[in-house]
């Protein structure tokens, strides 16, 4: 499935199945000081983060995870188990860990980012400097949410209306592929059963959009149970997809961590 933007350049070697480099070509010179690894939302692909590449500090290399069945992996069977997907992403992500890095995930991607970090810690891979989770309640609140028509957790209702899709209204073929990808991702979310709460031993920032019906202040604060130290909470203007429709606000928060 191909969106408005290119999916990015695959990492070398086996990690190339999962990781896409979205850094602007002019910035791919020399060794980056830090990397940012992003996990897309349900039905989203690596290309969703393409607009971020000119907003990040020049010393930051931008990477995104490409899920099976999404964008340039459309020929593969979509992932059906979130925990297994996180384990595979962690194995690939160790390729990026030879220098400082940050991890960001939005909505479904926030859960995958958290579960991937859990496995990075278990594998003894160098830790990220910070984990950013955006637009999602913490794991047990997602797993405990009642189901609704379409099979996904109730808090994911915004996706029913195609929120976050990059398809144009006349692109029927793309819309059909996006709908099938979304359906597969919602099935994976509905089947998500997190293990015992793991407290990330590195800084965690929770990002909530002010008008996001899927994440209220109480649910955002509940991420505290998943961090060893106090979490940092940040509120940005906009709705559930503010990190894409108003990217400057979210990227500014991340850039602040890059430059510390």
């Amino acid at each position: 499935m191909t969106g408005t933007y290119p999916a990015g350049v695959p990492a070398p070697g086996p990690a190339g199945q999962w990781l896409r480099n979205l850094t602007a070509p002019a910035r791919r010179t020399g060794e980056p000081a830090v990397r940012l690894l992003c996990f897309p939302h349900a039905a989203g692909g690596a290309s969703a983060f393409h607009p971020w590449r000119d907003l990040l500090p020049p010393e930051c290399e931008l990477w995104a995870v490409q899920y099976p069945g999404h964008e340039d992996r459309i020929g593969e069977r979509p992932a059906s188990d979130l925990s297994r997907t996180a384990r595979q992403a962690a194995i690939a992500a160790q390729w990026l860990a030879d220098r400082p890095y940050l991890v960001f995930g939005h909505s479904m991607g926030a859960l995958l980012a958290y579960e991937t970090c859990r496995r990075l810690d278990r594998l003894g891979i160098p830790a990220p400097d910070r984990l950013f989770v955006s637009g999602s309640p913490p794991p047990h609140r997602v797993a405990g949410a009642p189901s609704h028509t379409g099979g996904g957790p109730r808090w994911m209702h915004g996706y029913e209306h195609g929120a976050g899709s990059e398809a144009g209204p006349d692109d029927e073929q793309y819309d059909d592929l996006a709908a099938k990808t979304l359906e597969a991702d919602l099935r994976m979310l509905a089947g998500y059963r997190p293990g015992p709460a793991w407290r990330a031993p590195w800084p965690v920032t929770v990002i909530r959009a002010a008008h996001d019906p899927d994440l209220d202040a109480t649910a955002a604060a509940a991420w505290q149970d998943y961090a060893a130290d106090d979490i940092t909470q940040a509120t940005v203007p906009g709705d559930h997809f503010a990190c894409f429709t108003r990217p400057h606000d979210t990227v500014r928060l991340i850039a602040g961590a890059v430059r510390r």
Side-chain angles (χ1 to χ4, degrees), residues 6-259:
V9 179
Q17 184 178 21
W18 286 87
L19 305 181
R20 302 290 179 271
N21 189 347
L22 299 171
T23 313
R27 295 186 178 186
R28 294 179 196 164
T29 58
E31 296 294 333
V34 63
R35 291 178 170 128
L36 172 63
L37 177 61
C38 300
F39 287 75
H41 52 285
S47 69
F49 295 96
H50 188 279
W52 287 25
R53 66 184 197 163
D54 294 323
L55 303 177
L56 287 164
E59 65 270 25
C60 183
E61 199 171 61
L62 177 60
W63 290 81
V65 172
Q66 191 74 291
Y67 307 135
H70 291 232
E71 295 189 332
D72 57 1
R73 299 185 69 182
I74 190 63
E76 301 178 38
R77 183 185 300 274
S80 59
D81 185 290
L82 193 143
S83 295
R84 184 184 307 121
T85 302
R87 183 169 61 250
Q88 294 170 321
I91 292 171
Q94 65 183 316
W95 181 84
L96 299 175
D98 63 334
R99 62 195 60 255
Y101 69 106
L102 311 167
V103 174
F104 171 92
H106 179 66
S107 202
M108 182 186 80
L111 301 172
L112 275 160
Y114 166 80
E115 292 289 355
T116 297
C117 285
R118 179 205 294 263
R119 284 153 182 79
L120 289 169
D121 184 57
R122 186 178 299 166
L123 291 169
I125 295 168
D129 287 353
R130 183 174 291 269
L131 168 63
F132 293 87
V133 288
S134 165
S136 173
H140 285 85
R141 286 194 172 224
V142 172
S147 296
H148 68 296
T149 302
R154 183 67 187 90
W155 65 272
M156 296 272 316
H157 63 82
Y159 286 109
E160 295 173 354
H161 308 291
S165 171
E166 296 176 353
D170 298 325
D171 193 344
E172 294 183 5
Q173 182 179 13
Y174 181 92
D175 286 339
D176 183 57
L177 290 172
K180 290 179 179 178
T181 303
L182 174 59
E183 182 180 0
D185 286 347
L186 291 181
R187 282 199 303 269
M188 179 171 68
L189 276 167
Y192 174 47
R193 298 294 181 269
W198 168 77
R199 292 180 176 266
W202 45 75
V204 176
T205 294
V206 182
I207 302 175
R208 182 179 75 89
H211 301 292
D212 185 353
D214 296 331
L215 182 64
D216 60 25
T218 300
W223 274 101
Q224 182 60 66
D225 294 338
Y226 296 84
D229 297 319
D230 289 343
I231 61 174
T232 299
Q233 296 190 63
T235 302
V236 297
D239 60 14
H240 183 68
F241 285 98
C243 62
F244 301 117
T245 59
R246 303 173 58 111
H248 290 78
D249 298 305
T250 298
V251 176
R252 189 179 300 117
L253 294 170
I254 297 170
V258 168
R259 286 175 165 155

